Amino acid sequence: MKSLLKLSAVSMIALTAGTIAQAEELSVVGSWSGLPLHKEYEAPFWTEKLPEISGGDLTATLTTHDQMGIGGGDVFRMLSQGVFDVGMTVADYAVSDSVALEALDVPLIAPDADTAKKAVDAARPMVDDIYKDIFNAKVLGIAPYPPQVVFCNADIASLDDLKGKKVRASGRMTAKFLEALGAEGVNVGFGEVPGALQRGVVDCAITGAGSGYNAGWWEVSTHLMPIPLGGWDPVVTAINLDKWNALSDEQKATLEKGVQEYVEAPAWEIAQNALENDIVCLTGSGECPYGDARDLVLVEASDADLAKAREVLITEVLPDWAERAGGDWAKRWSDTVGEVTGVKLDTN
């Protein structure tokens, strides 16, 4: 009997030990390696802060999709297959897999960072469902690039001057919006834009002001229109759902809180000031905190421009999306994002 009790005790200890969470090393693929979001927030979090806040229980090996040589649109597909554990990239890169996801980043709906954050927070339940169902993934956080503004290698003075121009869009809904304004939306990869502007393949291109500054778009552009024509390009951080489910509750809480505290929150906090600094650096209208100021012509959109753009958005672009998305996505969007931005869709 004593031997049997000893054996049972040993068995219980072994079983208990098997339930204790093991330290995890996550394979992580970040967003664009050369841009501030990755350099200032993603990389420090995964390589330094995560091991620190988890007491070594969670570590990461980090690369980026551009360093890997894979397209942004492949990140979440590969994540769904378990090729790596965590992926971070622009949500708009994944809209070919989910039309519904287009509505996370609607052109000109959020004129400032505070409104953009409210819109993203309102959309979060929808985004969570999309990533779970389409990408077998759990969303950990959503951080912004600065608003997606317009660089032109052409003389423009208003939004109306984009009519007839070939414009590199930053997402599918932005392309639809440009077409509704009479422009031609063109699909050009971020790294290919300078050459496209220089050769006249496109007349204008949309990206974050800071991204354009860092990538040297000022060398092949003459004018800057700093309105969020391409939205705020939210970057989603997501973890493969099978990997997520394998983590302990403590590891899950540490990881989710860490992404929100050290990546998502600070990126939102600096978003508005970053835009103002970027404009200064690109137009030479003040002292540039990043380096040399450039001399792009600053083009301010008029109230009439913005009113026209909003009308086009509400009467043409969003209804087109609602029809393509199908289901109850339009009602869900209108009841959440529409509620905080004052844009309601007819969902009858």
Side-chain angles (χ1 to χ4, degrees), residues 333-344:
W333 186 93
S334 188
D335 291 345
T336 53
V337 182
E339 190 68 32
V340 300
T341 57
V343 177
K344 302 296 286 183

Side-chain angles (χ1 to χ4, degrees), residues 36-327:
L37 180 64
H38 179 75
K39 293 191 290 186
E40 296 178 18
Y41 303 118
E42 290 176 358
F45 171 71
W46 293 108
T47 60
E48 301 169 15
K49 188 57 70 173
L50 181 61
E52 176 188 323
I53 63 176
S54 68
D57 194 32
L58 290 168
T59 60
T61 56
L62 176 67
T63 185
T64 64
H65 72 270
D66 55 307
Q67 290 171 334
M68 291 176 69
I70 63 173
D74 293 324
V75 171
F76 294 128
R77 293 187 198 123
M78 296 174 73
L79 179 71
S80 72
Q81 298 162 4
V83 176
F84 40 81
D85 299 321
V86 178
M88 291 165 281
T89 197
V90 177
D92 268 340
Y93 292 168
V95 296
S96 60
D97 294 300
S98 171
V99 172
L101 191 57
E102 292 179 30
L104 174 61
D105 191 29
V106 176
L108 284 178
I109 200 171
D112 53 58
D114 285 344
T115 306
K117 177 67 164 60
K118 290 175 183 176
V120 166
D121 287 345
R124 182 64 185 268
M126 293 185 290
V127 177
D128 287 345
D129 287 347
I130 292 168
Y131 275 76
K132 179 182 177 183
D133 296 341
I134 303 298
F135 300 115
N136 185 41
K138 156 76 175 174
V139 175
L140 297 174
I142 305 177
Y145 278 135
Q148 304 298 288
V149 299
V150 187
F151 292 76
C152 284
N153 192 16
D155 188 10
I156 62 168
S158 70
L159 207 56
D160 281 341
D161 291 333
L162 295 181
K163 186 174 182 179
K165 299 282 193 301
K166 294 174 289 185
V167 185
R168 182 261 185 179
S170 58
R172 184 173 296 181
M173 191 173 284
T174 302
K176 293 285 185 182
F177 182 72
L178 288 167
E179 290 167 10
L181 290 176
E184 178 186 351
V186 180
N187 184 21
V188 178
F190 176 79
E192 301 168 356
V193 168
L197 282 167
Q198 192 171 36
R199 297 192 306 272
V201 175
V202 294
D203 304 297
C204 304
I206 295 173
T207 195
S211 302
Y213 177 84
N214 284 300
W217 286 22
W218 42 268
E219 294 183 291
V220 289
S221 302
T222 56
H223 291 64
L224 177 74
M225 181 180 288
I227 60 172
L229 196 62
W232 289 74
D233 240 12
V235 172
V236 174
T237 298
I239 183 170
N240 176 275
L241 198 55
D242 298 326
K243 171 59 72 172
W244 173 255
N245 289 334
L247 298 178
S248 70
D249 289 345
E250 184 177 358
Q251 288 171 329
K252 290 177 181 177
T254 298
L255 184 57
E256 192 163 23
K257 182 180 178 182
V259 169
Q260 292 169 2
E261 185 172 343
Y262 296 104
V263 179
E264 185 181 60
W268 279 110
E269 186 176 345
I270 64 105
Q272 189 65 41
N273 286 339
L275 172 61
E276 294 166 5
N277 289 334
D278 294 339
I279 293 171
V280 167
C281 290
L282 286 164
T283 63
S285 56
E287 185 174 348
C288 176
Y290 312 138
D292 294 335
R294 307 303 171 180
D295 59 356
L296 298 186
V297 176
L298 180 62
V299 180
E300 297 282 8
S302 68
D303 290 342
D305 283 336
L306 296 176
K308 176 184 177 180
R310 194 172 181 85
E311 181 183 1
V312 166
L313 178 69
I314 294 171
T315 61
E316 297 184 45
V317 178
L318 282 169
D320 171 80
W321 164 77
E323 183 177 351
R324 289 183 293 111

